[in-house]
Protein backbone atom coordinates (compact mmCIF):
# COMPACT_ATOMS: atom_id res chain seq x y z
CA UNK A 1 0.00 0.00 0.00
CA UNK A 2 2.92 2.40 0.57
CA UNK A 3 4.13 1.80 -2.99
CA UNK A 4 0.57 2.13 -4.30
CA UNK A 5 0.18 5.49 -2.55
CA UNK A 6 3.52 6.68 -3.90
CA UNK A 7 2.60 5.65 -7.44
CA UNK A 8 -0.71 7.46 -7.21
CA UNK A 9 1.03 10.59 -5.92
CA UNK A 10 3.70 10.56 -8.62
CA UNK A 11 1.35 9.93 -11.53
CA UNK A 12 -1.81 11.77 -10.50
CA UNK A 13 -0.49 14.68 -8.46
CA UNK A 14 3.03 15.21 -9.83
CA UNK A 15 2.30 14.33 -13.44
CA UNK A 16 4.95 11.69 -14.02
CA UNK A 17 4.03 9.60 -17.05
CA UNK A 18 6.31 6.65 -16.33
CA UNK A 19 7.83 5.25 -13.16
CA UNK A 20 10.59 2.63 -13.10
CA UNK A 21 11.24 0.58 -10.00
CA UNK A 22 14.84 0.09 -8.83
CA UNK A 23 14.79 -2.83 -6.45
CA UNK A 24 18.10 -2.84 -4.59
CA UNK A 25 18.89 -5.82 -2.34
CA UNK A 26 15.59 -6.62 -0.58
CA UNK A 27 13.86 -4.06 -2.78
CA UNK A 28 13.95 -6.53 -5.66
CA UNK A 29 11.56 -8.93 -3.94
CA UNK A 30 9.41 -6.08 -2.59
CA UNK A 31 8.88 -4.44 -6.00
CA UNK A 32 8.41 -7.75 -7.79
CA UNK A 33 5.72 -8.67 -5.25
CA UNK A 34 4.04 -5.30 -5.74
CA UNK A 35 4.23 -5.48 -9.54
CA UNK A 36 2.79 -8.99 -9.63
CA UNK A 37 -0.15 -7.89 -7.50
CA UNK A 38 -0.63 -4.62 -9.39
CA UNK A 39 -1.01 -6.34 -12.77
CA UNK A 40 -3.48 -8.84 -11.29
CA UNK A 41 -7.01 -7.41 -11.68
CA UNK A 42 -9.36 -7.59 -8.70
CA UNK A 43 -10.65 -9.83 -7.26
CA UNK A 44 -7.63 -12.00 -8.05
CA UNK A 45 -5.16 -10.37 -5.65
CA UNK A 46 -4.18 -11.72 -2.25
CA UNK A 47 -6.71 -11.14 0.52
CA UNK A 48 -4.97 -12.72 3.53
CA UNK A 49 -1.44 -12.57 4.94
CA UNK A 50 0.77 -15.66 5.34
CA UNK A 51 -0.31 -15.65 9.01
CA UNK A 52 -3.95 -15.93 7.96
CA UNK A 53 -4.95 -12.38 8.91
CA UNK A 54 -7.35 -10.58 6.54
CA UNK A 55 -5.59 -8.02 4.34
CA UNK A 56 -7.41 -7.51 1.05
CA UNK A 57 -5.19 -6.01 -1.64
CA UNK A 58 -8.14 -5.90 -4.02
CA UNK A 59 -9.32 -2.71 -2.31
CA UNK A 60 -6.24 -0.70 -3.32
CA UNK A 61 -5.63 1.25 -6.50
CA UNK A 62 -2.31 -0.26 -7.59
CA UNK A 63 -0.62 1.34 -10.58
CA UNK A 64 2.03 -0.99 -12.09
CA UNK A 65 5.58 0.16 -12.68
CA UNK A 66 6.68 0.78 -16.27
CA UNK A 67 10.09 -0.83 -15.90
CA UNK A 68 12.03 -2.94 -13.41
CA UNK A 69 15.67 -2.83 -12.31
CA UNK A 70 16.99 -5.61 -10.08
CA UNK A 71 20.10 -4.07 -8.51
CA UNK A 72 22.22 -6.46 -6.42
CA UNK A 73 18.89 -8.03 -5.52
CA UNK A 74 18.39 -11.37 -3.81
CA UNK A 75 15.47 -13.72 -4.43
CA UNK A 76 13.57 -12.71 -1.30
CA UNK A 77 14.37 -12.37 2.39
CA UNK A 78 13.01 -15.84 3.04
CA UNK A 79 14.99 -17.38 0.19
CA UNK A 80 18.10 -15.54 1.37
CA UNK A 81 17.68 -16.85 4.91
CA UNK A 82 17.21 -20.42 3.69
CA UNK A 83 20.89 -20.28 2.78
CA UNK A 84 22.09 -18.42 5.89
CA UNK A 85 20.24 -20.18 8.71
CA UNK A 86 22.49 -22.27 10.96
CA UNK A 87 21.06 -25.81 10.92
CA UNK A 88 23.22 -26.96 13.82
CA UNK A 89 20.92 -25.20 16.33
CA UNK A 90 19.09 -27.93 18.23
CA UNK A 91 17.09 -25.80 20.69
CA UNK A 92 15.49 -22.52 19.56
CA UNK A 93 15.63 -21.30 23.17
CA UNK A 94 19.36 -21.89 23.53
CA UNK A 95 21.76 -19.86 21.33
CA UNK A 96 24.61 -22.24 22.19
CA UNK A 97 22.85 -25.51 21.40
CA UNK A 98 24.69 -27.31 18.65
CA UNK A 99 24.74 -30.51 16.64
CA UNK A 100 28.46 -30.60 15.86
CA UNK A 101 27.90 -32.83 12.83
CA UNK A 102 25.99 -29.96 11.18
CA UNK A 103 28.23 -27.10 12.32
CA UNK A 104 29.90 -25.41 9.34
CA UNK A 105 32.35 -23.77 11.74
CA UNK A 106 33.54 -27.14 13.06
CA UNK A 107 36.99 -28.04 11.63
CA UNK A 108 35.87 -31.67 11.46
CA UNK A 109 33.39 -30.63 8.77
CA UNK A 110 35.87 -28.69 6.63
CA UNK A 111 36.10 -25.28 8.31
CA UNK A 112 39.45 -23.51 8.42
CA UNK A 113 40.42 -20.41 10.35
CA UNK A 114 40.55 -17.34 8.09
CA UNK A 115 42.22 -16.26 5.95
CA UNK A 116 42.52 -19.90 4.88
CA UNK A 117 39.37 -20.88 2.94
CA UNK A 118 37.22 -23.73 4.11
CA UNK A 119 36.36 -26.72 1.95
CA UNK A 120 33.18 -28.71 2.54
CA UNK A 121 32.49 -32.12 1.03
CA UNK A 122 29.53 -32.56 -1.29
CA UNK A 123 28.00 -34.99 1.19
CA UNK A 124 28.17 -32.35 3.93
CA UNK A 125 26.74 -29.66 1.63
CA UNK A 126 23.71 -31.80 0.74
CA UNK A 127 23.08 -32.77 4.36
CA UNK A 128 23.59 -29.18 5.52
CA UNK A 129 21.12 -27.73 2.99
CA UNK A 130 18.46 -30.26 3.95
CA UNK A 131 18.93 -29.44 7.63
CA UNK A 132 18.61 -25.71 6.91
CA UNK A 133 15.21 -26.26 5.32
CA UNK A 134 14.16 -28.50 8.21
CA UNK A 135 15.08 -25.83 10.75
CA UNK A 136 13.18 -23.17 8.84
CA UNK A 137 10.13 -25.43 8.86
CA UNK A 138 10.47 -25.78 12.64
CA UNK A 139 10.59 -22.00 13.09
CA UNK A 140 7.60 -21.64 10.78
CA UNK A 141 5.69 -24.06 12.99
CA UNK A 142 6.54 -22.02 16.10
CA UNK A 143 5.36 -18.82 14.44
CA UNK A 144 2.11 -20.40 13.32
CA UNK A 145 1.49 -21.83 16.75
CA UNK A 146 1.85 -18.38 18.33
CA UNK A 147 -0.50 -16.84 15.77
CA UNK A 148 -3.06 -19.61 16.10
CA UNK A 149 -3.02 -19.30 19.88
CA UNK A 150 -3.75 -15.59 19.66
CA UNK A 151 -6.47 -16.17 17.04
CA UNK A 152 -8.07 -18.72 19.36
CA UNK A 153 -8.44 -16.26 22.23
CA UNK A 154 -9.47 -13.44 19.89
CA UNK A 155 -12.31 -15.63 18.68
CA UNK A 156 -13.38 -16.31 22.26
CA UNK A 157 -13.66 -12.55 22.86
CA UNK A 158 -16.06 -12.28 19.90
CA UNK A 159 -18.42 -14.93 21.20
CA UNK A 160 -21.80 -13.71 22.62
CA UNK A 161 -21.26 -15.51 25.91
CA UNK A 162 -17.99 -13.64 26.56
CA UNK A 163 -19.85 -10.85 28.42
CA UNK A 164 -21.42 -13.38 30.76
CA UNK A 165 -18.07 -14.70 32.00
CA UNK A 166 -16.56 -13.82 35.36
CA UNK A 167 -14.21 -10.81 35.47
CA UNK A 168 -11.28 -13.13 36.13
CA UNK A 169 -12.08 -15.33 33.13
CA UNK A 170 -12.64 -12.31 30.89
CA UNK A 171 -9.30 -10.86 31.92
CA UNK A 172 -7.58 -14.20 31.28
CA UNK A 173 -8.98 -14.43 27.76
CA UNK A 174 -8.58 -10.74 26.89
CA UNK A 175 -4.95 -10.61 27.86
CA UNK A 176 -4.12 -13.62 25.72
CA UNK A 177 -6.04 -12.14 22.81
CA UNK A 178 -3.97 -8.96 23.02
CA UNK A 179 -0.51 -10.04 24.08
CA UNK A 180 2.11 -9.97 21.35
CA UNK A 181 5.17 -12.14 21.09
CA UNK A 182 8.64 -11.72 19.68
CA UNK A 183 10.65 -14.60 18.30
CA UNK A 184 14.43 -14.77 18.54
CA UNK A 185 16.09 -16.77 15.81
CA UNK A 186 19.63 -17.63 16.82
CA UNK A 187 22.61 -17.93 14.50
CA UNK A 188 21.60 -16.67 11.08
CA UNK A 189 25.12 -16.11 9.73
CA UNK A 190 25.86 -19.56 8.38
CA UNK A 191 25.93 -19.75 4.60
CA UNK A 192 28.56 -22.22 3.47
CA UNK A 193 29.62 -19.82 0.72
CA UNK A 194 30.82 -17.31 3.33
CA UNK A 195 33.90 -19.41 4.04
CA UNK A 196 34.14 -21.75 1.03
CA UNK A 197 34.71 -19.65 -2.12
CA UNK A 198 34.32 -22.70 -4.35
CA UNK A 199 30.59 -22.54 -3.58
CA UNK A 200 28.99 -19.96 -5.90
CA UNK A 201 32.34 -18.69 -7.27
CA UNK A 202 32.60 -14.91 -7.72
CA UNK A 203 35.00 -11.99 -7.20
CA UNK A 204 34.08 -11.65 -3.51
CA UNK A 205 36.63 -12.07 -0.78
CA UNK A 206 36.29 -14.16 2.37
CA UNK A 207 33.39 -13.50 4.73
CA UNK A 208 29.81 -12.31 4.72
CA UNK A 209 27.92 -9.06 4.26
CA UNK A 210 28.18 -8.41 7.99
CA UNK A 211 31.70 -9.50 8.83
CA UNK A 212 35.01 -10.98 7.65
CA UNK A 213 34.57 -13.38 10.58
CA UNK A 214 31.14 -14.95 10.13
CA UNK A 215 32.16 -17.73 12.51
CA UNK A 216 32.18 -15.14 15.31
CA UNK A 217 29.37 -12.88 14.08
CA UNK A 218 27.08 -15.92 13.98
CA UNK A 219 26.92 -15.78 17.78
CA UNK A 220 26.26 -12.04 18.18
CA UNK A 221 22.86 -10.62 19.02
CA UNK A 222 22.80 -8.71 15.72
CA UNK A 223 22.06 -10.22 12.32
CA UNK A 224 19.32 -10.88 9.82
CA UNK A 225 15.90 -11.93 11.16
CA UNK A 226 17.12 -12.20 14.76
CA UNK A 227 14.09 -10.54 16.36
CA UNK A 228 10.69 -10.80 14.69
CA UNK A 229 7.03 -11.00 15.50
CA UNK A 230 5.52 -14.29 14.29
CA UNK A 231 3.61 -12.41 11.58
CA UNK A 232 6.73 -10.60 10.40
CA UNK A 233 8.61 -13.89 10.24
CA UNK A 234 5.93 -15.54 8.09
CA UNK A 235 5.50 -12.54 5.79
CA UNK A 236 9.17 -11.70 5.35
CA UNK A 237 11.81 -14.19 6.51
CA UNK A 238 10.12 -17.53 5.94
CA UNK A 239 11.23 -19.11 2.67
CA UNK A 240 8.11 -21.30 2.31
CA UNK A 241 5.59 -18.69 3.52
CA UNK A 242 6.67 -15.24 2.31
CA UNK A 243 4.95 -14.00 -0.83
CA UNK A 244 7.79 -11.57 -1.55
CA UNK A 245 9.76 -14.12 -3.56
CA UNK A 246 11.18 -12.91 -6.86
CA UNK A 247 11.01 -16.09 -8.93
CA UNK A 248 7.41 -16.76 -7.86
CA UNK A 249 6.31 -13.26 -8.90
CA UNK A 250 8.52 -13.00 -11.98
CA UNK A 251 6.04 -14.60 -14.44
CA UNK A 252 3.83 -11.52 -14.00
CA UNK A 253 6.63 -9.02 -14.68
CA UNK A 254 6.75 -8.35 -18.41
CA UNK A 255 7.87 -4.70 -18.41
CA UNK A 256 11.41 -3.86 -19.61
CA UNK A 257 13.79 -5.42 -17.10
CA UNK A 258 17.42 -4.78 -16.20
CA UNK A 259 19.34 -7.14 -13.91
CA UNK A 260 22.59 -5.81 -12.39
CA UNK A 261 24.91 -8.18 -10.54
CA UNK A 262 27.76 -6.87 -8.37
CA UNK A 263 30.55 -9.38 -8.90
CA UNK A 264 32.03 -9.03 -5.39
CA UNK A 265 28.74 -9.21 -3.53
CA UNK A 266 28.94 -11.15 -0.25
CA UNK A 267 25.18 -11.68 -0.08
CA UNK A 268 23.84 -12.12 -3.61
CA UNK A 269 25.73 -14.51 -5.84
CA UNK A 270 25.91 -14.52 -9.65
CA UNK A 271 23.64 -17.54 -10.11
CA UNK A 272 20.80 -15.70 -8.33
CA UNK A 273 21.00 -12.73 -10.70
CA UNK A 274 21.34 -15.13 -13.63
CA UNK A 275 18.18 -16.95 -12.50
CA UNK A 276 16.23 -13.68 -12.47
CA UNK A 277 17.46 -12.83 -15.97
CA UNK A 278 16.91 -16.30 -17.42
CA UNK A 279 13.42 -16.72 -15.94
CA UNK A 280 12.23 -13.20 -16.73
CA UNK A 281 9.41 -13.34 -19.32
CA UNK A 282 10.11 -9.76 -20.45
CA UNK A 283 10.75 -9.45 -24.17
CA UNK A 284 13.08 -6.54 -23.41
CA UNK A 285 15.59 -7.65 -20.79
CA UNK A 286 19.26 -6.95 -20.16
CA UNK A 287 21.91 -8.40 -17.83
CA UNK A 288 24.98 -6.51 -16.60
CA UNK A 289 27.91 -7.38 -14.32
CA UNK A 290 29.65 -4.58 -12.41
CA UNK A 291 32.78 -5.04 -10.30
CA UNK A 292 31.57 -3.89 -6.90
CA UNK A 293 30.56 -5.19 -3.49
CA UNK A 294 26.94 -5.40 -2.33
CA UNK A 295 26.80 -1.68 -1.52
CA UNK A 296 28.41 -0.63 -4.78
CA UNK A 297 31.87 0.13 -3.46
CA UNK A 298 34.86 -0.84 -5.65
CA UNK A 299 36.53 -4.15 -4.94
CA UNK A 300 39.92 -4.14 -3.16
CA UNK A 301 41.37 -5.96 -6.17
CA UNK A 302 40.28 -3.17 -8.57
CA UNK A 303 39.81 0.03 -6.52
CA UNK A 304 39.82 2.34 -9.55
CA UNK A 305 37.10 0.67 -11.59
CA UNK A 306 33.52 -0.47 -11.24
CA UNK A 307 31.63 0.65 -8.17
CA UNK A 308 28.66 2.97 -7.96
CA UNK A 309 29.69 5.19 -10.85
CA UNK A 310 29.68 2.29 -13.29
CA UNK A 311 26.46 0.91 -11.86
CA UNK A 312 24.79 4.28 -12.29
CA UNK A 313 26.04 4.54 -15.86
CA UNK A 314 24.59 1.13 -16.71
CA UNK A 315 21.21 2.07 -15.23
CA UNK A 316 21.05 5.57 -16.73
CA UNK A 317 22.05 4.36 -20.21
CA UNK A 318 19.39 1.64 -20.00
CA UNK A 319 16.76 4.16 -18.89
CA UNK A 320 17.61 6.64 -21.62
CA UNK A 321 17.25 4.01 -24.32
CA UNK A 322 13.79 2.94 -23.14
CA UNK A 323 12.34 5.98 -21.39
CA UNK A 324 13.74 9.01 -23.19
CA UNK A 325 12.90 12.40 -21.71
CA UNK A 326 11.06 15.05 -23.65
Amino acid sequence: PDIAASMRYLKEERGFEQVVFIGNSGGGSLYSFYQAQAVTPPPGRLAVTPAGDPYDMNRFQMSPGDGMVFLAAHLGEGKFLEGALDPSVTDENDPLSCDSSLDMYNPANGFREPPEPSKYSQEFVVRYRAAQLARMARIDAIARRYVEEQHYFQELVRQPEFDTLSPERKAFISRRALVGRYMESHRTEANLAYTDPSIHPSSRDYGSLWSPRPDLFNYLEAGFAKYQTPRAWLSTWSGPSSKAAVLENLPNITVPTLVVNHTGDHAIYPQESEAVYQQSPAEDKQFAHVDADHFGYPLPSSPNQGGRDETMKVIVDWLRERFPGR
Side-chain angles (χ1 to χ4, degrees):
D2 291 339
I3 299 172
S6 299
M7 292 293 284
R8 183 173 181 177
Y9 171 74
L10 289 172
K11 290 198 168 186
E12 295 184 9
E13 298 189 33
R14 294 296 303 276
F16 285 90
E17 295 178 6
Q18 295 174 308
V19 177
V20 176
F21 296 139
I22 299 184
N24 173 229
S25 193
S29 52
L30 172 63
Y31 281 121
S32 62
F33 180 33
Y34 173 86
Q35 183 77 355
Q37 290 295 297
V39 300
T40 301
R45 296 174 185 159
L46 293 172
V48 294
T49 71
D53 297 312
Y55 196 89
D56 190 359
M57 288 203 229
N58 295 289
R59 61 192 172 98
F60 296 111
Q61 175 185 326
M62 301 177 73
S63 177
D66 300 289
M68 181 76 72
V69 178
F70 292 95
L71 172 58
H74 54 61
L75 301 181
E77 275 88 347
K79 300 303 181 184
F80 171 85
L81 197 63
E82 282 182 345
L85 202 61
D86 188 338
S88 70
V89 172
T90 58
D91 182 349
E92 295 300 330
N93 295 313
D94 182 0
L96 294 175
S97 64
C98 185
D99 177 350
S100 60
S101 71
L102 286 170
D103 184 3
M104 68 172 278
Y105 300 117
N106 180 354
N109 296 324
F111 176 69
R112 298 293 179 267
E113 286 276 338
E116 184 181 352
S118 302
K119 182 61 180 177
Y120 304 105
S121 69
Q122 186 59 34
E123 180 276 332
F124 180 76
V125 171
V126 171
R127 189 160 48 86
Y128 190 89
R129 296 301 191 203
Q132 285 182 307
L133 297 178
R135 185 185 173 204
M136 179 160 280
R138 292 196 300 270
I139 300 176
D140 264 24
I142 294 171
R144 293 192 182 282
R145 186 171 70 248
Y146 287 161
V147 172
E148 289 167 3
E149 180 183 273
Q150 189 176 39
H151 280 170
Y152 172 78
F153 286 104
Q154 288 172 344
E155 186 59 33
L156 290 181
V157 172
R158 299 188 188 101
Q159 297 303 310
E161 59 269 24
F162 178 76
D163 289 335
T164 67
L165 300 176
S166 67
E168 293 79 10
R169 184 61 179 169
K170 288 170 67 174
F172 176 87
I173 295 173
S174 297
R175 290 168 183 172
R176 281 154 183 77
L178 294 171
V179 69
R181 290 180 182 265
Y182 276 87
M183 298 168 53
E184 183 178 6
S185 300
H186 305 295
R187 309 215 305 264
T188 61
E189 188 78 352
N191 191 320
L192 295 173
Y194 294 160
T195 60
D196 185 344
S198 70
I199 299 174
H200 312 319
S202 71
S203 300
R204 71 188 185 276
D205 53 13
Y206 186 99
S208 70
L209 188 66
W210 288 106
S211 173
R213 290 296 303 266
D215 56 318
L216 304 180
F217 193 94
N218 193 40
Y219 285 86
L220 295 181
E221 64 273 21
F224 289 117
K226 294 298 290 290
Y227 306 99
Q228 301 283 317
T229 67
R231 288 172 172 83
W233 170 270
L234 293 169
S235 282
T236 306
W237 290 104
S238 166
S241 301
S242 175
K243 302 299 181 183
V246 172
L247 298 184
E248 293 176 12
N249 291 303
L250 204 56
N252 289 316
I253 303 174
T254 58
V255 294
T257 298
L258 171 64
V259 181
V260 181
N261 169 252
H262 284 168
T263 63
D265 198 324
H266 287 94
I268 293 93
Y269 305 116
Q271 84 279 358
E272 294 172 275
S273 299
E274 289 166 3
V276 176
Y277 176 75
Q278 293 295 337
Q279 296 185 39
S280 167
E283 292 184 5
D284 179 357
K285 59 182 180 179
Q286 182 175 323
F287 191 24
H289 291 286
V290 176
D291 290 332
D293 69 7
H294 180 70
F295 301 105
Y297 293 111
L299 302 179
S301 58
S302 52
N304 298 317
Q305 65 185 56
R308 295 183 178 187
D309 289 344
E310 184 173 336
T311 295
M312 184 59 70
K313 184 179 186 305
V314 169
I315 294 173
V316 170
D317 288 348
W318 180 85
L319 287 170
R320 283 176 172 158
E321 290 176 6
R322 290 155 183 81
F323 307 96
R326 294 183 178 178

